[in-house]
Amino acid sequence: MSIFEGIWVPLVTPFRQGKLDLYGAQQLALNLSAAGVHGLVACGTTGEAATLNEHEQDKLLCGVMEAVQDRCPVAMGIGGSDTRAVTEKIERLNALRPAAFLVSAPSYVRPSQEGIRLHFEALAAVAESPLVLYNIPARTGVNIDVATVSALEQHANIVAIKESSGNLAQTMELINRTSLRVLCGDDSLLFNMLCLGGHGAISAAAHIRPDLFVHLFELVRAAQLGSARALFKQLLPMIQLLFSEPNPGPVKAALAMQGQIQDELRLPMTRMSAAGRVKLARALEKLMTVPVAGKSAQPESAVRGKSRLLGLVR
């Protein structure tokens, strides 16, 4: 299996009183790697990368890589509208040797498909780590068409795509027409994409019960679709709540309820609403009773006790 398969998690960036909480990020990375996730992404959209300066981004990447070491690969999220500036950033980050660069299409400027192709080709030419394309038109304003992806796969350094268009027809084309690893970027479509032949996911929701997301991937790979469907049905209510308000507010709220990080974001991102946290607490408590494969569920009374200690609203 390629390393660009399975369940990857785009790490939230913990803050404490406005400052980067590197220790919190390292502990979170260790918890996720111990749960069996196949890879991590530092400084992605979920990591509030747009609010981190260069020093913080470098420090976060190095800190996470140091924490997990060889337990799982760590990719670096990259974005920008100016090809020259993004190229210079990749050249600087080459020295840190991330497992890959996860790179979104240029945002705001809305280039042509030729411009998108030339942008990624320029980045791939200087990157000393593989490139994972990131197609998220809702944020960038442009779609990376299948024909463009097909042209880009000719570059040996472009190995995968995180597909977040929400378009299953396009996803099927990517899987059938290209040799790239296709990773789900829309968590609510995870089961569908895996069944269509997708190779995994870069999943923000997998911060919560990552063991279950890994097990879902394994079930589909083993063609145990009935069990996979039943498990995804249990995961879906939490997934929907985690994206009911702007990401990563709900994810950070859930992690804070578990005592893993502080519930703190940088503006313009804000904490999940009080009403949302009430629903999230109930869904989280229920999800915590789902057993890990081959293990017994945690007693409901223990979960309730933990919830009260963490101040969750029932």
Side-chain angles (χ1 to χ4, degrees):
M1 188 173 86
S2 163
I3 68 166
F4 301 105
E5 297 183 19
I7 302 299
W8 287 57
V9 178
L11 279 172
V12 299
T13 299
F15 299 116
R16 190 178 290 270
Q17 296 181 341
K19 296 182 179 180
L20 173 65
D21 178 8
L22 185 59
Y23 176 77
Q26 291 178 314
Q27 291 303 117
L28 183 59
L30 284 170
N31 291 342
L32 289 165
S33 63
V37 302
H38 300 91
L40 300 170
V41 179
C43 300
T45 304
T46 303
E48 299 172 80
T51 71
L52 302 174
N53 61 38
E54 275 191 1
H55 174 69
E56 289 174 321
Q57 291 186 14
D58 293 358
K59 189 176 180 180
L60 184 62
L61 174 62
C62 290
V64 170
M65 290 175 63
E66 179 184 22
V68 301
Q69 296 184 25
D70 59 354
R71 294 178 183 88
C72 67
V74 181
M76 180 66 170
I78 300 284
S81 303
D82 177 0
T83 303
R84 181 176 55 181
V86 180
T87 298
E88 291 172 353
K89 185 171 185 178
I90 287 178
E91 287 177 325
R92 179 178 60 79
L93 289 168
N94 278 334
L96 303 182
R97 299 192 178 280
F101 294 109
L102 174 65
V103 190
S104 57
S107 62
Y108 185 73
V109 294
R110 302 187 70 181
S112 66
Q113 291 299 307
E114 181 183 14
I116 293 171
R117 176 180 61 78
L118 292 172
H119 175 79
F120 282 117
E121 286 178 350
L123 305 186
V126 301
E128 295 176 8
S129 300
L131 254 60
V132 178
L133 309 178
Y134 183 10
N135 186 34
I136 183 161
R139 290 186 182 274
T140 63
V142 290
N143 183 59
I144 308 175
D145 292 349
V146 175
T148 303
V149 176
S150 184
L152 286 169
E153 75 168 318
Q154 306 308 313
H155 201 296
N157 209 27
I158 297 175
V159 298
I161 181 168
K162 177 182 179 181
E163 176 58 31
S164 303
S165 69
N167 184 333
L168 283 176
Q170 177 166 296
T171 299
M172 287 184 66
E173 267 201 277
L174 286 170
I175 293 167
N176 294 328
R177 285 183 52 188
T178 77
S179 61
L180 297 184
R181 296 296 185 263
V182 181
L183 303 171
C184 179
D186 186 334
D187 291 355
S188 64
L189 298 178
L190 175 57
F191 176 70
N192 305 66
M193 279 192 66
L194 291 176
C195 290
L196 289 172
H199 300 90
I202 300 179
S203 166
H207 278 90
I208 314 303
R209 291 301 307 267
D211 56 306
L212 297 181
F213 282 83
V214 171
H215 188 46
L216 175 70
F217 172 77
E218 292 169 344
L219 285 172
V220 175
R221 275 295 173 94
Q224 297 181 33
L225 299 187
S227 296
R229 185 181 297 107
L231 176 55
F232 188 67
K233 186 176 180 180
Q234 292 177 294
L235 288 168
L236 189 57
M238 174 62 74
I239 291 172
Q240 291 170 333
L241 279 170
L242 291 176
F243 292 96
S244 62
E245 297 183 23
N247 180 49
V251 176
K252 280 193 162 182
L255 290 170
M257 290 173 187
Q258 294 179 316
Q260 296 195 58
I261 64 169
Q262 296 292 307
D263 190 5
E264 186 175 337
L265 296 90
R266 282 183 176 170
L267 287 173
M269 304 312 296
T270 57
R271 295 176 62 203
M272 191 179 198
S273 67
R277 289 198 302 273
V278 171
K279 296 176 183 177
L280 185 64
R282 291 172 179 161
L284 179 59
E285 188 171 3
K286 185 175 181 179
L287 191 63
M288 293 304 291
T289 66
V290 178
V292 183
K295 296 184 180 180
S296 299
Q298 188 175 1
E300 187 175 352
S301 59
V303 176
R304 285 177 175 170
K306 181 183 288 187
S307 295
R308 283 195 287 271
L309 285 172
L310 294 175
L312 305 189
V313 182
R314 289 183 54 74

